[in-house]
Each structure stands twice: as structure tokens, then as C-alpha cells.
Amino acid sequence: MASYKFIIENKHDGFQIKEYLKKVASVSSRQIKKLKAYPDGILLNGEHAIVIDVLHENDILEINSHDDVKQYDYSGTVPDIVFEDENYLVVNKPYNMTVYLCGDVKENLLSSVCGFYHEKGIDFVFRPFYRLDKDTSGLVIIAKNALIMNSTEIEKDYYAVCEGEVPSHGMIDTRIGLMEGSRIRREAGEKGETALTEYTTLGFDGANSLVKLKIYTGRTHQIRVHMSSIGYPLCGDDLYDGHMDIIPRQALHCKTVTIRNKLINYEKTIDTDFPDDIRNAFPKLCT
């Protein structure tokens, strides 16, 4: 169970509880409905409250989230945890690891982090905010309860090594859709879903460029498709015209993440190093 307390300020005097939770604490209607199902889900000054109760200055509003705990198999892999507090877990996912159960893939899953916690006697539900491709490495943020999941904003900075000398800065605003005749490969063009990618070139070693990327939409393979579409495929990404002579997987790493949450007045930025395979393959760019 996760608990959060709020001391009501003068400017919120007269708000109904549901109004405060939605507008101030950024709690979704769905989560409020779940809170209402438990006697201690919503407490006002220590007593059970209903969502139409009116708040007054210096009141103490408390919400308690009850999660249904699922069981996960533990593969024996110890996760590379780079940050953890009572609300978030941030794991550095290696390449060649799938985030969660998908199709016939049942081994080497990031979701086994939950099994790792269950082995320690800790209830844990796997709630990643986003998915990284199997061969994309980097930081994955996991929420420890549903309230936190629904009230969090995430900002991610990806770093890629692309073939050629990429221009210093640009925005790619091209739709992405599934390529006709393929079940996996996407393409940029007039069909598909809107997609927006911003890139900034940080270095060039004479053959390849280190590029920082920010995506404003979450389309499958977005960075890989967009960079290939403008003539600068990711090194190692043979699915999208990259070459594998230097590195055998797409040179893409989610290096920096920022977590923001109004519910708990929280902001945290976390950074990680380049993995060894990218750093060793491109020492002039990723030292």
C-alpha cells in the first residue's frame, strides 16, 4: 500500500476532495474510483471521507492506494538498479533483453525484476512507463504503484551513433506506419501515425555522428525509422539500412531521464554511462 498526505493551503479552502485530487494532485478519475473502494482509501483528518466532502485550510487529506499484486517468475538475473526510492525504480536495461512478456519470448525479461523483489518478500507490480526495443539499451523507469504511474511525467534523452555527418540540429515530422508486406519493419511517409523527433549532433569522428534525440511521440522504432528516412541510419541497425561492421546492434541508448510528479512535488534527473559495447566501438564519440 502506498500512502500520500496533503496539508490543505488557504488557496484550496472550499475545494471538494475530488476537485483537489484531480486539479492539484493530478489523480485520475480512474484512480479516485479505486480509492473510493477502500475504507482507508480517502481520509480527511484521519477519518473516512467521501469525494464531495469540502476541504478547509490546514486540513490533512490522506490517500492510500491498494494494488493487486501479481506474481512474476524470477530468472535469476539481478537487475542493474541505478536509482530507487519509495515511488520509483530506475533500471539500466542491457541490450538483448525484452522489457516484458511478448509472444514466445519468455526468458531474459526486464519484468523479472518483479520476481527478484518477490524473492526478497516484497510485493511488486511491474509498471514500466515505456518500452525500449530489445536491442536498445538504457534507463527504464518503473512506478511502484498505480497512483504514481498516473500522475508522472517523463522526459527521456536518447543518444545514438548514426552513419555519416548528421546536420547540427533538426526536427523530423513524418508519419510512421507498418511497411506493406512486413510484420516488423516500419517506414516514414504519408501514411501511418504522426511522429515527431528532434535531433542535435554532438560530435563527428570522420565517419559517424553522435546524436542526442528527443521524441515527442512514442511510435514503434521511431528514432530508427526517422534517422534512416533522412539518410543517417543508426550504426548496427540492419533493419533500417545501417551496417553491422562496427557494432552488431543498433547503437541507441536511453542515457538520461527526468521524472516529474505534481502529486508529490517531485523532480529527479538520472543519467547513466554509455554501455561498454557502444563506448568501445566509438571511443572518439562516447568517452
Side-chain angles (χ1 to χ4, degrees), residues 43-97:
L43 302 177
L44 182 58
N45 298 321
E47 301 291 335
H48 173 74
I50 58 177
V51 294
I52 61 173
D53 285 344
V54 176
L55 299 170
H56 299 288
E57 185 179 6
N58 295 323
D59 278 348
I60 298 176
L61 177 64
E62 180 180 349
I63 55 177
N64 296 290
S65 174
H66 296 258
D67 287 338
D68 295 327
V69 176
K70 303 175 184 178
Q71 295 297 320
Y72 298 85
D73 293 330
Y74 178 43
S75 65
T77 302
V78 178
D80 181 9
I81 298 171
V82 296
F83 175 78
E84 182 175 13
D85 63 15
E86 65 272 21
N87 296 303
Y88 300 100
L89 180 71
V90 182
V91 179
N92 191 15
K93 185 188 86 67
Y95 78 93
N96 196 33
M97 174 178 279

Side-chain angles (χ1 to χ4, degrees), residues 169-234:
H169 180 264
M171 301 287 291
I172 308 172
D173 185 1
T174 311
R175 291 178 177 273
I176 292 177
L178 191 63
M179 180 176 287
E180 186 175 353
S182 176
R183 298 174 56 189
I184 300 174
R185 181 165 173 155
R186 270 68 181 172
E187 63 181 351
E190 297 179 357
K191 298 181 180 180
E193 299 176 296
T194 58
L196 181 63
T197 303
E198 180 179 12
Y199 65 87
T200 303
T201 301
L202 304 178
F204 178 62
D205 66 2
N208 305 298
S209 300
L210 177 63
V211 182
K212 178 180 177 181
L213 300 120
K214 191 179 297 291
I215 57 175
Y216 298 95
T217 50
R219 309 308 177 203
T220 300
H221 300 173
Q222 179 171 325
I223 289 173
R224 301 163 62 189
V225 173
H226 266 172
M227 293 309 296
S228 179
S229 74
I230 63 170
Y232 305 99
L234 274 62

Side-chain angles (χ1 to χ4, degrees), residues 1-272:
M1 183 176 74
S3 300
Y4 302 95
K5 291 184 179 181
F6 310 91
I7 299 175
I8 305 305
E9 301 178 28
N10 177 264
K11 62 183 177 181
H12 300 130
D13 191 296
F15 276 37
Q16 288 185 337
I17 289 176
K18 63 181 178 182
E19 181 184 13
Y20 183 91
L21 291 177
K22 286 183 178 181
K23 294 183 178 180
V24 181
S26 299
V27 179
S28 68
S29 297
R30 181 180 178 184
Q31 289 305 314
I32 292 173
K33 183 177 180 180
K34 288 184 177 181
L35 292 171
K36 290 164 60 178
Y38 294 92
D40 64 343
I42 303 173
L43 302 177
L44 182 58
N45 298 321
E47 301 291 335
H48 173 74
I50 58 177
V51 294
I52 61 173
D53 285 344
V54 176
L55 299 170
H56 299 288
E57 185 179 6
N58 295 323
D59 278 348
I60 298 176
L61 177 64
E62 180 180 349
I63 55 177
N64 296 290
S65 174
H66 296 258
D67 287 338
D68 295 327
V69 176
K70 303 175 184 178
Q71 295 297 320
Y72 298 85
D73 293 330
Y74 178 43
S75 65
T77 302
V78 178
D80 181 9
I81 298 171
V82 296
F83 175 78
E84 182 175 13
D85 63 15
E86 65 272 21
N87 296 303
Y88 300 100
L89 180 71
V90 182
V91 179
N92 191 15
K93 185 188 86 67
Y95 78 93
N96 196 33
M97 174 178 279
T98 303
V99 171
Y100 48 74
L101 188 65
C102 180
D104 295 330
V105 179
K106 298 180 180 180
E107 297 181 350
N108 199 25
L109 304 173
L110 187 64
S111 58
S112 69
V113 67
C114 299
F116 170 77
Y117 275 86
H118 285 297
E119 288 289 309
K120 294 175 174 290
I122 301 172
D123 290 337
F124 196 96
V125 177
F126 187 60
R127 290 192 177 89
F129 285 94
Y130 50 87
R131 180 183 66 86
L132 298 182
D133 293 338
K134 179 181 178 181
D135 282 338
T136 297
S137 57
L139 299 175
V140 176
I141 307 169
I142 301 164
K144 288 192 172 181
N145 65 74
L147 275 174
I148 285 296
M149 183 76 180
N150 286 277
S151 57
T152 299
E153 295 180 357
I154 300 296
E155 184 176 323
K156 308 186 295 291
D157 288 330
Y158 291 86
Y159 288 70
V161 181
C162 298
E163 297 181 4
E165 187 172 5
V166 180
S168 61
H169 180 264
M171 301 287 291
I172 308 172
D173 185 1
T174 311
R175 291 178 177 273
I176 292 177
L178 191 63
M179 180 176 287
E180 186 175 353
S182 176
R183 298 174 56 189
I184 300 174
R185 181 165 173 155
R186 270 68 181 172
E187 63 181 351
E190 297 179 357
K191 298 181 180 180
E193 299 176 296
T194 58
L196 181 63
T197 303
E198 180 179 12
Y199 65 87
T200 303
T201 301
L202 304 178
F204 178 62
D205 66 2
N208 305 298
S209 300
L210 177 63
V211 182
K212 178 180 177 181
L213 300 120
K214 191 179 297 291
I215 57 175
Y216 298 95
T217 50
R219 309 308 177 203
T220 300
H221 300 173
Q222 179 171 325
I223 289 173
R224 301 163 62 189
V225 173
H226 266 172
M227 293 309 296
S228 179
S229 74
I230 63 170
Y232 305 99
L234 274 62
C235 294
D237 189 6
D238 63 337
L239 183 62
Y240 294 106
D241 305 319
H243 296 86
M244 302 179 68
D245 53 335
I246 301 178
I247 190 168
R249 58 101 171 184
Q250 65 256 19
L252 180 61
H253 183 64
C254 183
K255 189 174 186 297
T256 307
V257 295
T258 298
I259 306 168
R260 299 185 180 92
N261 192 307
K262 292 181 180 180
L263 175 68
I264 54 175
N265 191 28
Y266 182 98
E267 182 168 331
K268 179 76 175 179
T269 296
I270 301 155
D271 185 75
T272 188

